[in-house]
């Protein structure tokens, strides 16, 4: 599935977005705001200087060709450059704010039923709820705060948060279904919750402040780029400031207006103006993707990820394994195995258990006991088996082959070598083998078939081309894991994995200088999520997992991790491409302004664009410089089209498109503008 | 303490009595004070520019050029601050 196909949220009201952005562009002219963007602050100071020269053209001494109209035009263009840059940022911020508004609409001050010590109910405002309070919510209620289910079972409509209309079952004690989010709605039954956040600290509050940009801080790459832009700006200020003595020496004095124009043309205004918009748009793209990032740093880290750790079930294979076949051993018939398998699964409500029941019934198996008098034995990670205890003392079990072997031995049974042969056969098919037994007698193997998600192999191929290593984690045995890993095309796998293995593999990769991303939902995943460079928690997961992760996927789809890497890379590529374009633009602007400045010194031959006059050349370069910012706003907001190729190939392509393009486009653009300026008689 | 007393006796009032108020005032009006000091500094620099100018320039032009020089210097200092502490911008 492609990124664009999966973008589903964006139900934001963008009406009046551009009008608000335009207003905001003027408000951002405040020097206290402008000073945060070094490149545009220098343009701002330049605009003030040229504006003073409109009032008094001879303020810094009389220079030939220094006139009020020219100064006014330069000032107007510089002012427009500032507005365009502010507008780009305001549009990006506006989209985030619109998204925050749509989220805020789901957040309302409701009345909550707070349970007191003696279990009596006190009605309080949702804003009065504190962490640790117990509340009761019933059908039709909007859940007043984030919480953990401590009693009851209910269906919850989470569409306000996730956009997913199907209701979600919430119940206590489960890692994946016991946390609820404030703002969602109970559509059946009732729940007792323990509040897990104080007012203003809820999941929705955090989301709102993130998409609004209130908590936006510069990412490491943005900081590095800011330093580069500041260094370039400083160098060009020094260069331009030392020009007047040289110009006077060669007998071609230049006006301060032309010097300011040269400075603005040379400093990287394009990327300076679009830098924050690119970052905000990156966060916005992640939010549209129904993922909440705790910081821009996390989104950016996605682009730098070099190792992906993925759970097999739900990410690489479809979540539900289905019973495909019963393999009898010990001379038992197929019907006998089906009967024992049915008996062991009659209380199993998992999709796997239900599929075993279906297959057994299809084969004509029936149970010869009354389920009302029997007792179900639930699966546990310790025993790794489940089953049924019959009233006559007979124990029927199904589970991991090793565990069933141990169980059979403990009941005085024998292990037949046929079992290992059947186990290997299923494992080699990439399936999960479950052994079934009754008392001390083995009956056979259930073949649970894993279905690899369609298209996942191609996704892993893409990731490999991008230089990203994929590691699959599974609780399955080594043979099954290797078959699935081979079929899916992952680079490495860890079989019979425990939560500790996750941390160990993350630490091992990080020690090798890799950036690691992983998904998780359970409390036992929390340490690994915190350890990973990018930890994506499922919204259906526990509070501990969500707090440890730096991203939360509202749709609880672990496959999304692959798409997040794509978004992160797209953000980095967009920033790199526009920086390349911005810097390579300088060449054409240099060739437009320098011959114009020193025409009297006999370097007219450098006027390779054949620009009409000195003033026309300066104006054309500045107009191009200003217009390129709004022209690139859509690209900055949408992001450069991402292709899964190696970093070297990407660099080569981008240098060709944005580097060479950045050299050629201004030559054409400045020439066209020069013709228009000449025709209009502005210079 | 002695100097403070001598100053107070000489001036007829305690010069340092309003130290806290002066601190508060300068903190609240730091930008205005910076601009004022910049303009004060520009006065002697403008004289140097006027004296060194080879061509005929007016005192107003000398003052403007000196101020422009200070603005460029301030921009350079600002950009150095950005380079050294980028996370603050």
């Amino acid at each position: 599935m492609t990124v664009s196909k999966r973008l589903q949220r964006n139900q934001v009201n963008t009406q009046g977005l551009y009008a608000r952005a335009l207003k905001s562009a003027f408000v951002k002219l405040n020097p206290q705001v402008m000073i945060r963007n070094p490149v545009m602050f220098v343009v701002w100071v330049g605009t003030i200087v040229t504006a003073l020269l409109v009032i008094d053209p001879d303020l810094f001494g009389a220079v030939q060709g220094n006139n009020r109209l020219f100064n006014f035009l330069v000032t107007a263009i510089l002012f427009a450059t500032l507005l365009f840059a502010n507008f780009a940022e305001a549009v990006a911020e506006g989209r985030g704010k619109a998204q925050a508004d749509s989220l805020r609409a789901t957040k309302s001050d409701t009345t909550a039923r707070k349970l007191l010590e003696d279990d009596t109910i006190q009605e309080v405002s949702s804003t009065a709820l504190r962490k640790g309070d117990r509340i009761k919510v019933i059908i039709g209620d909007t859940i007043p705060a984030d919480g953990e289910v401590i009693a009851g079972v209910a269906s919850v409509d989470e569409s306000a948060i996730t956009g997913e209309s199907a209701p979600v079952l919430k119940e206590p004690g489960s890692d994946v279904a016991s946390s609820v989010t404030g703002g969602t709605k109970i559509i059946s039954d009732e729940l007792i919750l323990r509040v897990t956040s104080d007012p203003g600290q809820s999941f929705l509050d955090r989301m709102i402040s993130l998409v609004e940009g209130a908590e936006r801080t510069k990412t490491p790459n943005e900081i590095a780029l800011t330093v580069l832009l500041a260094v370039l700006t400083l160098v060009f200020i020094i260069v331009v400031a030392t020009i007047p003595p040289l110009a006077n020496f060669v007998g071609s004095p230049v006006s301060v207006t032309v010097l300011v124009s040269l400075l603005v043309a040379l400093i990287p205004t394009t990327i300076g103006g679009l830098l924050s918009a690119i970052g905000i748009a990156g966060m916005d793209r992640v939010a549209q993707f129904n993922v909440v990032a705790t910081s821009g740093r996390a989104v950016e880290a996605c682009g730098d990820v070099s190792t992906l750790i993925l759970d097999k079930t739900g990410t690489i294979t479809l979540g539900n394994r289905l019973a495909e076949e019963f393999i009898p051993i010990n001379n038992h018939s197929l019907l006998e195995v089906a009967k024992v398998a049915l008996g062991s699964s009659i209380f199993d409500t998992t999709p796997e258990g239900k599929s075993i029941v279906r297959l057994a019934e299809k084969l004509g198996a029936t149970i010869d006991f009354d389920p009302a008098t029997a007792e179900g034995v639930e699966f546990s990670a310790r025993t790794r088996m489940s089953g049924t205890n019959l009233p006559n003392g007979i124990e029927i079990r199904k589970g991991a082959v090793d565990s069933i072997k141990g169980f059979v031995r403990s009941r005085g049974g024998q292990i037949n070598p046929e079992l290992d042969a059947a186990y290997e056969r299923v494992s080699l098919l990439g399936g999960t083998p479950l052994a079934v037994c009754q008392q001390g007698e083995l009956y056979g193997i259930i073949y649970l078939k894993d279905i690899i998600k369609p298209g996942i192999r191609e996704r892993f191929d893409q990731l490999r081309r991008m230089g990203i290593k994929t590691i699959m984690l599974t609780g399955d045995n080594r043979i099954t894991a290797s078959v699935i890993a081979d079929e899916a095309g992952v680079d490495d796998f860890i079989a019979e994995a425990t939560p500790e293995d996750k941390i160990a593999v993350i630490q091992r990769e990080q020690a090798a200088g890799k950036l690691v991303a992983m998904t998780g939902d359970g409390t036992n995943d929390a340490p690994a999520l915190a350890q990973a460079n990018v930890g994506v928690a499922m919204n259906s997961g526990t509070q501990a997992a969500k707090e440890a992760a730096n991203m939360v996927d509202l749709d609880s789809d672990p496959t999304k991790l692959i798409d997040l890497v794509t978004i992160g890379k797209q953000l980095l590529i967009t920033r790199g491409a526009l920086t390349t374009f911005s810097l390579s633009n300088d060449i054409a602007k240099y060739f437009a302004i320098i011959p114009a400045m020193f025409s009297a010194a006999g370097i007219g031959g450098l006027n390779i664009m054949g620009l009409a006059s000195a003033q026309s050349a300066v104006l054309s370069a500045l107009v191009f410089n200003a217009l390129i910012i709004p022209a690139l706003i859509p690209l900055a907001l949408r992001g450069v089209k991402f292709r899964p190729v190696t970093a070297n190939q990407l660099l080569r392509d981008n240098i060709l498109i944005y580097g060479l393009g950045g050299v050629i486009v201004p030559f054409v653009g400045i020439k066209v503008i020069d013709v228009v300026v000449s025709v209009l008689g502005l210079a | 303490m002695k100097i403070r007393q001598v100053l107070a006796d000489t001036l007829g009032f305690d010069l340092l009595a309003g130290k806290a108020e002066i601190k508060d005032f300068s903190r609240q009006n730091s930008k205005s004070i910076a601009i004022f000091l910049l303009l004060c500094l520009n006065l002697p620099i403008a004289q140097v520019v006027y004296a060194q100018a080879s061509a005929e320039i007016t005192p107003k032009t000398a003052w403007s050029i000196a101020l422009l020089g200070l603005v460029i210097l301030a921009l350079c200092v600002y950009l150095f601050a950005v380079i050294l502490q980028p996370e603050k911008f």
Side-chain angles (χ1 to χ4, degrees):
Chain A
M1 209 180 283
T2 61
V3 170
S4 57
K5 275 182 193 164
R6 294 183 57 149
L7 284 176
Q8 50 175 296
R9 194 175 178 87
N10 205 20
Q11 302 148 345
V12 293
N13 180 15
T14 52
Q15 204 181 4
L17 172 72
Y18 294 106
R20 282 196 301 273
L22 190 63
K23 191 180 159 195
S24 180
F26 279 95
V27 173
K28 283 171 181 281
L29 288 170
N30 179 344
Q32 284 178 321
V33 178
M34 292 301 304
I35 205 162
R36 295 180 66 84
N37 184 336
V39 178
M40 298 320 290
F41 183 65
V42 170
V43 179
W44 186 87
V45 173
T47 311
I48 302 287
V49 172
T50 55
L52 290 172
L53 285 165
V54 175
I55 299 163
D56 181 0
D58 293 331
L59 185 64
F60 300 109
V63 179
Q64 202 183 1
N66 200 5
N67 67 66
R68 190 167 270 134
L69 175 66
F70 175 68
N71 293 347
F72 171 77
L73 289 172
V74 169
T75 307
I77 298 165
L78 294 186
F79 187 70
T81 310
L82 290 171
L83 280 184
F84 289 149
N86 288 349
F87 181 73
E89 189 177 290
V91 168
E93 281 175 354
R95 282 158 61 119
K97 279 197 173 73
Q99 205 153 25
D101 288 342
S102 78
L103 284 170
R104 205 172 273 121
T106 66
K107 186 177 176 286
S108 52
D109 188 5
T110 52
T111 305
R113 293 178 195 84
K114 184 177 168 183
L115 289 170
L116 301 177
E117 292 283 319
D118 56 356
D119 279 349
T120 55
I121 291 173
Q122 181 192 16
E123 294 209 337
V124 296
S125 162
S126 59
T127 53
L129 292 173
R130 293 289 179 276
K131 203 171 174 177
D133 285 350
R134 287 183 310 139
I135 52 169
K136 183 177 182 179
V137 280
I138 61 167
I139 182 168
D141 278 1
T142 299
I143 296 176
D146 291 357
E148 200 167 342
V149 180
I150 50 175
V153 178
S155 292
V156 175
D157 173 10
E158 294 189 330
S159 58
I161 305 287
T162 65
E164 175 58 59
S165 54
V168 183
L169 190 74
K170 296 289 178 186
E171 55 189 349
S174 159
D175 254 9
V176 290
S178 64
S179 81
V180 291
T181 312
T184 56
K185 205 170 177 184
I186 300 269
I187 54 170
S188 80
D189 306 289
E190 57 185 49
L191 296 171
I192 306 286
L193 309 172
R194 182 175 289 114
V195 176
T196 52
S197 66
D198 286 331
Q201 299 293 315
S202 73
F203 186 59
L204 210 57
D205 289 316
R206 276 163 51 204
M207 252 176 95
I208 290 168
S209 61
L210 280 166
V211 292
E212 232 174 9
E215 284 183 18
R216 189 178 137 71
T217 51
K218 275 198 167 133
T219 63
N221 277 328
E222 270 181 323
I223 288 175
L225 194 54
T226 304
V227 172
L228 174 73
L229 298 183
V231 169
L232 285 171
T233 308
L234 184 62
V235 167
F236 285 125
I237 284 184
I238 295 168
V239 167
V240 171
T242 51
I243 281 178
L246 293 170
N248 286 336
F249 180 73
V250 296
S252 182
V254 284
S255 69
V256 171
T257 309
V258 172
L259 287 173
V260 170
S261 305
L262 177 68
L263 175 67
V264 171
L266 291 182
I267 61 175
T269 44
T270 313
I271 187 65
L274 295 172
L275 184 59
S276 50
I278 296 168
I280 296 166
M283 288 288 280
D284 191 44
R285 269 200 297 279
V286 170
Q288 281 183 47
F289 211 62
N290 261 3
V291 173
V292 179
T294 53
S295 67
R297 182 186 288 259
V299 180
E300 210 173 74
C302 280
D304 284 328
V305 157
S306 42
T307 303
L308 275 188
I309 296 175
L310 304 157
D311 276 329
K312 185 200 79 176
T313 309
T315 309
I316 295 168
T317 60
L318 294 172
N320 303 334
R321 291 174 297 185
L322 301 177
E324 175 79 4
E325 189 186 345
F326 296 132
I327 304 168
I329 57 170
N330 280 354
N331 297 321
H332 286 294
S333 69
L334 184 63
L335 192 62
E336 281 174 329
V337 184
K339 198 176 163 186
V340 176
L342 177 65
S344 69
S345 305
I346 203 79
F347 292 106
D348 190 345
T349 54
T350 63
E352 286 92 344
K354 284 178 183 166
S355 77
I356 293 170
V357 170
R358 267 200 309 274
L359 180 64
E361 285 175 347
K362 201 172 135 191
L363 292 170
T366 51
I367 48 169
D368 51 9
F369 59 88
D370 178 10
T373 57
E375 182 200 352
V377 177
E378 276 195 31
F379 176 86
S380 79
R382 192 179 58 80
T383 61
R384 297 180 73 204
M385 57 184 173
S386 62
T388 309
N389 290 340
L390 304 186
N392 55 7
I394 292 175
E395 296 168 307
I396 311 174
R397 294 287 185 273
K398 72 164 191 295
V401 175
D402 285 344
S403 306
I404 294 294
K405 275 182 182 175
F407 180 80
V408 168
R409 281 196 200 101
S410 71
R411 300 295 184 271
Q414 296 293 313
I415 307 299
N416 191 315
E418 265 188 277
L419 178 70
D420 288 333
Y423 162 85
E424 259 191 54
R425 197 190 119 196
V426 172
S427 297
L428 286 170
L429 289 168
T432 304
L434 292 184
V436 280
C437 70
Q438 186 168 307
Q439 285 299 80
E441 189 174 1
L442 278 165
Y443 273 72
I445 291 276
I446 304 169
Y447 166 22
L448 286 183
K449 191 174 181 182
D450 253 330
I451 300 163
I452 293 176
K453 284 189 176 175
I456 200 84
R457 196 181 173 90
E458 288 72 28
R459 299 297 296 274
F460 289 143
D461 284 344
Q462 286 179 2
L463 291 170
R464 198 171 299 109
R465 283 202 294 278
M466 283 149 50
I468 297 170
K469 181 182 173 186
T470 45
I471 300 175
M472 179 184 84
L473 284 182
T474 173
D476 285 339
N477 66 64
R478 201 170 168 77
I479 304 171
T480 306
S482 70
V483 173
I484 297 280
D486 192 44
E487 268 184 54
V490 291
D491 298 312
D492 199 359
F493 68 91
I494 295 171
E496 292 163 355
T498 61
E500 292 74 36
D501 288 334
K502 280 191 182 181
I503 297 187
V505 75
I506 291 170
Q507 286 173 338
R508 192 188 71 206
E509 290 293 316
Q510 285 176 335
K514 306 276 179 64
L515 258 72
V516 184
M518 70 158 286
T519 58
D521 52 11
T523 302
N524 55 10
D525 287 330
L529 284 168
Q531 175 75 36
N533 302 88
V534 176
V536 183
M538 303 294 106
N539 190 37
S540 58
T542 58
Q543 196 67 24
K546 286 195 231 177
E547 278 173 15
N550 44 19
M551 285 194 186
V552 177
D553 175 20
L554 301 175
D555 297 332
S556 304
D557 174 5
T559 325
K560 222 181 255 181
L561 183 60
I562 302 170
D563 300 311
L564 286 173
V565 170
T566 309
I567 292 177
K569 287 219 176 283
Q570 195 184 27
L571 170 68
L572 296 181
I573 294 166
T574 305
R575 201 181 283 148
L578 291 182
T579 305
T580 312
F581 187 83
S582 179
L583 297 180
S584 51
N585 267 348
D586 274 1
I587 297 172
K589 288 185 250 174
Y590 201 77
F591 272 101
I593 297 181
I594 292 290
M597 276 172 68
F598 296 112
S599 53
I603 56 165
L606 285 177
N607 184 7
I608 52 175
M609 284 184 264
L611 302 177
S613 69
Q615 290 191 347
S616 159
V618 170
L619 289 178
S620 306
L622 283 186
V623 168
F624 178 84
N625 195 50
L627 291 181
I628 200 71
I629 296 176
L632 290 174
I633 290 177
L635 185 67
L637 298 182
R638 197 182 59 238
V640 170
K641 196 179 173 191
F642 173 75
R643 285 174 306 114
V645 291
T646 61
N648 283 342
Q649 199 179 339
L650 207 59
L651 182 68
R652 202 171 52 233
D653 291 355
N654 279 346
I655 286 179
L656 197 69
I657 299 169
Y658 296 98
L660 195 62
V663 174
I664 295 167
V665 169
F667 273 103
V668 179
I670 290 171
K671 178 65 191 171
V672 170
I673 296 166
D674 177 70
V675 171
V676 175
V677 167
S678 305
V679 168
L680 294 175
L682 291 172
Chain B
M1 202 61 197
K2 275 182 185 172
I3 297 169
R4 185 174 177 175
Q5 192 58 51
V6 171
L7 269 173
D9 290 346
T10 314
L11 295 170
F13 63 93
D14 187 357
L15 187 68
L16 299 176
K19 208 167 74 175
E21 283 85 350
I22 293 169
K23 263 191 179 172
D24 279 350
F25 178 81
S26 57
R27 203 172 293 136
Q28 285 164 11
N29 301 282
S30 57
K31 289 186 187 79
S32 312
I33 290 170
I35 292 170
F36 173 71
L37 290 176
L38 190 78
L39 292 176
C40 290
L41 181 65
N42 191 42
L43 286 174
I45 297 171
Q47 302 309 312
V48 176
V49 172
Y50 190 55
Q52 289 296 313
S54 55
E56 283 277 316
I57 61 165
T58 62
K60 188 180 86 176
T61 304
W63 188 86
S64 308
I65 291 171
L67 190 61
L68 185 65
L70 281 176
V71 168
I72 292 168
L73 190 69
L75 275 180
C76 291
V77 170
Y78 157 72
L79 288 169
F80 266 115
V82 174
I83 293 163
L84 297 173
Q85 291 183 307
E87 64 283 348
K88 287 196 173 175
F89 292 90

